[in-house]
Amino acid sequence: MKTIRTVFFVISMLGFSLSTSAAEPLQTLANKLFGPLPETMPGSEFDTPERIALGKALYFETALSAVDNQSCNTCHNLLDGGSGAEPLSVSVGALGKLGTRNSLTTWNAGFQFAQFWDGRAKDLAEQARGPITNPIEMGLSSEDEAIDKLKDKGYQDAFAAAFPDADDALTFDHLTESLAAFQRTLVTEDRFDMYLAGDITALNAQEKRGLEQFISTGCNACHNGPLLGGELFMKMGLVKPYPNKIDKGRAHVTGSSADNFMFKVPTLRNVAQTAPYFHDGAVFNLDQAVRDTAWHQLGVKLSEEDVKDISAFFASLDNTKKVTF
C-alpha cells in the first residue's frame, strides 16, 4: 500500500519533489499543477450570438420531451444558481422511467475530453443527440419528431438566423450544435481561480490546508488540470473495490473487460454543489465522498481533520456565475 501511495504522490506532483513544494508558495505550486480555467471553450470561436440564443432557448424547451414536461434544464438545472445537475441519485425521465447514472453537470462540460460517464460521446453536440430520443430520458420517438415539434412551436426564424447559410436551417444537427453553442458559455467562476491569479486572500487558512492535503494525498493524480478532473478515465475502485458491481462503465461501450468499472473522472469545479456523488449517485454527503474516494482510489484512510480541510478547499470551487432565463 505504501508503494501505491508513493506512486500516486509522485504522479500528482508532476515531477516536483517534496522539498521543492515545501520551498514554493502553495499558490505557485497550484498554478503548476492545475492552472486557471480558460475563459472560452474549444469551438466557441465559431459560435454566434444568434446560435447561442437559440441553444439557450432549446436548453429550456419542454417540447423536446415526449409529453412536454421536461427540458435539458430539468436534469441539468442552471437557474437560481443551479449546479447544472440535480439532487437525485439518478434522473427520472419524461415518462417516469428511472435512469441508471447520476446526471453530470453541464457547467464546464465542453472543456472535458469526452462526454457522459462512459465517454461515449466525443463532444457537446454528440452528447446532445442522445437524451432527446432516449426512451428513458426525454422519450421522443425520433429526431424527426423533435423537428416537427419545434416547427409547431415556431422556431423556424430562430434557426434561420442562427444558420443563415443553410438551405434547410431547422435540422437535428443544427439543434444539437445550437445546444452545444450555448453550453460553451457555461464556464464557472470561483475563488480558486482568484487565488491562482494571485489573490492569496481568496482562500482562507483551512481551505489552503485542504489544498495542501489534496495534493499530498495524491488526489490530483486523477483530478488534474484546470477542471480538477474531466481529462481521463479511471477505474472506480482502483485500490479498494467499489460496492457497485453492476455498472461496468466504459466496458458497456467498448465491450472490453479491460474497461470494466472505468469511468470518466469528474471535474471538481463546483463539486460542493453537485451532490449526490459518483456515477451511481450513492453518496449525498461531501465529507463522505472525500473519505470514500481516498479509500477506494488510493487505499488511504483520511483523518477527520483532513476530510474537513479537503471539503473546505472544495468550497473555494463554488461557482459564482449565474444564468437567467
Side-chain angles (χ1 to χ4, degrees):
M1 186 58 62
K2 183 177 180 181
T3 300
I4 293 172
R5 290 189 63 185
T6 300
V7 169
F8 267 82
F9 185 77
V10 170
I11 294 172
S12 73
M13 298 305 290
L14 298 179
F16 294 96
S17 68
L18 277 170
S19 60
T20 301
S21 65
E24 290 187 331
L26 180 61
Q27 184 267 346
T28 300
L29 178 60
N31 264 300
K32 291 177 178 177
L33 295 176
F34 307 109
L37 279 173
E39 293 183 2
T40 59
M41 289 187 191
S44 62
E45 63 270 22
F46 303 110
D47 296 333
T48 63
E50 293 81 7
R51 200 168 295 182
I52 292 169
L54 173 59
K56 184 175 184 180
L58 293 171
Y59 191 94
F60 293 93
E61 180 53 74
T62 57
L64 292 176
S65 63
V67 289
D68 298 341
N69 65 336
Q70 287 193 344
S71 67
C72 301
N73 194 67
T74 302
C75 300
H76 303 280
N77 179 46
L78 298 174
L79 299 181
D80 300 319
S83 68
E86 62 178 338
L88 300 174
S89 292
V90 296
S91 299
V92 180
L95 300 176
K97 299 178 181 179
L98 291 178
T100 58
R101 291 178 182 154
N102 181 247
S103 64
L104 287 164
T105 179
T106 47
W107 285 104
N108 299 322
F111 286 126
Q112 299 180 47
F113 81 110
Q115 303 299 314
F116 295 113
W117 282 102
D118 55 21
R120 64 184 182 273
K122 67 180 184 297
D123 55 32
L124 292 174
E126 186 175 331
Q127 184 279 329
R129 301 191 78 90
I132 295 172
T133 57
N134 187 316
I136 65 172
E137 295 188 58
M138 298 177 81
L140 292 186
S141 62
S142 66
E143 295 178 0
D144 287 341
E145 183 184 9
I147 297 307
D148 289 341
K149 294 188 75 174
L150 292 179
K151 287 179 179 178
D152 290 342
K153 293 280 288 189
Y155 271 88
Q156 290 88 337
D157 289 346
F159 271 84
F163 299 92
D165 297 328
D167 293 334
D168 183 8
L170 211 171
T171 67
F172 201 81
D173 284 345
H174 290 164
L175 182 162
T176 59
E177 181 52 40
S178 298
L179 284 169
F182 168 60
Q183 290 183 76
R184 282 190 283 265
T185 69
L186 301 178
V187 181
T188 58
E189 298 174 354
D190 57 45
R191 288 187 292 114
F192 185 54
D193 270 346
M194 295 171 59
Y195 176 72
L196 294 175
D199 182 359
I200 60 173
T201 67
L203 270 61
N204 63 34
Q206 184 181 24
E207 291 165 345
K208 291 176 183 177
R209 289 199 308 270
L211 173 57
E212 290 177 325
Q213 189 62 45
F214 181 82
I215 295 169
S216 65
T217 302
C219 303
N220 71 301
C222 297
H223 291 285
N224 52 4
L227 292 178
L228 286 77
E231 295 193 352
L232 72 160
F233 296 113
M234 184 54 65
K235 182 179 179 180
M236 189 61 174
L238 181 64
V239 178
K240 299 294 183 179
Y242 186 70
N244 184 343
K245 301 298 184 184
I246 298 173
D247 190 342
K248 294 187 177 181
R250 186 150 175 79
H252 293 299
V253 177
T254 66
S256 172
S257 60
D259 290 323
N260 280 349
F261 312 116
M262 297 288 285
F263 294 90
K264 181 177 69 173
V265 176
T267 172
L268 295 181
R269 295 282 183 167
N270 210 34
V271 66
Q273 307 304 318
T274 58
Y277 302 106
F278 309 135
H279 61 279
D280 53 2
V283 175
F284 282 75
N285 179 270
L286 181 59
D287 285 358
Q288 190 60 49
V290 171
R291 291 188 199 96
D292 289 353
T293 302
W295 178 244
H296 292 301
Q297 301 309 107
L298 297 169
V300 174
K301 287 189 176 181
L302 292 170
S303 71
E304 283 305 295
E305 180 181 5
D306 289 342
V307 168
K308 295 294 184 184
D309 288 349
I310 291 173
S311 291
F313 162 59
F314 288 162
S316 74
L317 302 170
D318 283 357
N319 178 33
T320 60
K321 190 174 180 179
K322 308 296 183 184
V323 172
T324 58
F325 183 72

